[in-house]
Amino acid sequence: PTTIVRGFILVMNTTNKTQFSLSRWTRTTFWGWMLGVVLILMLSSFLDSIGIEHMQFYLGIGMGAGVGLAQWFSLRRWHPVSLSWLWFSIVGMGIPFIIMDYLLPNLLEYKIPIAMASGSLCVGWLQSRLLKSPSSTKLWTIASFLGWTAGGLTVLLINYTMRLQPNASRIIILLL
């Protein structure tokens, strides 16, 4: 059977008793961010060891890989989706960071938010091509932009508050 979840059409797997939910998707994406952080640290260490420094492209690639992999594992329960989901996440988030590394090499403060926003649109548009409904392309791209940007802004907010007052970031983390 087909189920419509907030404007997205998903083909549900009738053999799986768990249902698709926004809260489950959010948890999956959260754990994907955690995996992305681990991948970023690994990529950063590796790239530093071979002399590639002062670049940020590994942020997009690592986070795209972590979130894309977690989402792919979760999504394949309800929707027949290939590993292209993962690759679209890596490419969609990685390419804007690569472009920004070459266009704005010295503007680190602006480079990451611009690359994150651009990457979120790329990821959303690419992933929407894997969904069965053509009408979900626009909605998925917007949802992707909002999700990635909210996550990215949360990280930037915590980083910013650490500069203001040492205990402010702890308060924000507790509130989240």
Side-chain angles (χ1 to χ4, degrees):
T2 302
T3 302
I4 299 176
V5 178
R6 297 196 189 250
F8 301 108
I9 297 177
L10 298 174
V11 178
M12 302 302 282
N13 182 348
T14 56
T15 61
N16 193 338
K17 295 186 190 228
T18 59
Q19 294 294 315
F20 180 87
S21 71
L22 185 59
S23 64
R24 183 172 309 204
W25 185 254
T26 303
R27 277 192 310 274
T28 297
T29 303
F30 171 80
W31 289 114
W33 272 79
M34 295 297 106
L35 176 59
V37 169
V38 171
L39 293 173
I40 286 170
L41 292 172
M42 291 170 45
L43 282 169
S44 176
S45 297
F46 172 72
L47 293 171
D48 284 349
S49 73
I50 61 172
I52 299 175
E53 298 174 341
H54 310 295
M55 305 283 280
Q56 303 299 313
F57 70 91
Y58 64 89
L59 296 173
I61 292 170
M63 197 54 70
V67 171
L69 184 63
Q71 288 179 344
W72 175 75
F73 270 119
S74 181
L75 185 60
R76 66 190 183 132
R77 294 179 187 168
W78 301 283
H79 187 70
V81 66
S82 68
L83 266 175
S84 296
W85 188 272
L86 170 62
W87 293 113
F88 285 173
S89 298
I90 294 169
V91 169
M93 194 52 70
I95 294 215
F97 275 86
I98 292 169
I99 291 170
M100 294 305 289
D101 276 339
Y102 288 103
L103 289 181
L104 301 170
N106 299 322
L107 295 176
L108 184 61
E109 197 167 321
Y110 300 106
K111 184 170 36 172
I112 293 173
I114 292 170
M116 179 69 73
S118 303
S120 68
L121 292 172
C122 292
V123 169
W125 183 77
L126 288 168
Q127 287 177 341
S128 71
R129 302 293 178 216
L130 300 174
L131 301 174
K132 297 295 182 196
S133 170
S135 64
S136 64
T137 298
K138 185 177 181 181
L139 289 171
W140 189 261
T141 304
I142 292 168
S144 176
F145 174 77
L146 293 174
W148 278 101
T149 305
L153 288 176
T154 302
V155 171
L156 291 174
L157 176 66
I158 291 169
N159 187 36
Y160 176 73
T161 58
M162 289 171 57
R163 293 185 215 161
L164 295 177
Q165 189 176 35
N167 292 327
S169 61
R170 291 182 187 150
I171 293 168
I172 290 175
I173 289 172
L174 289 173
L175 292 174
L176 294 176

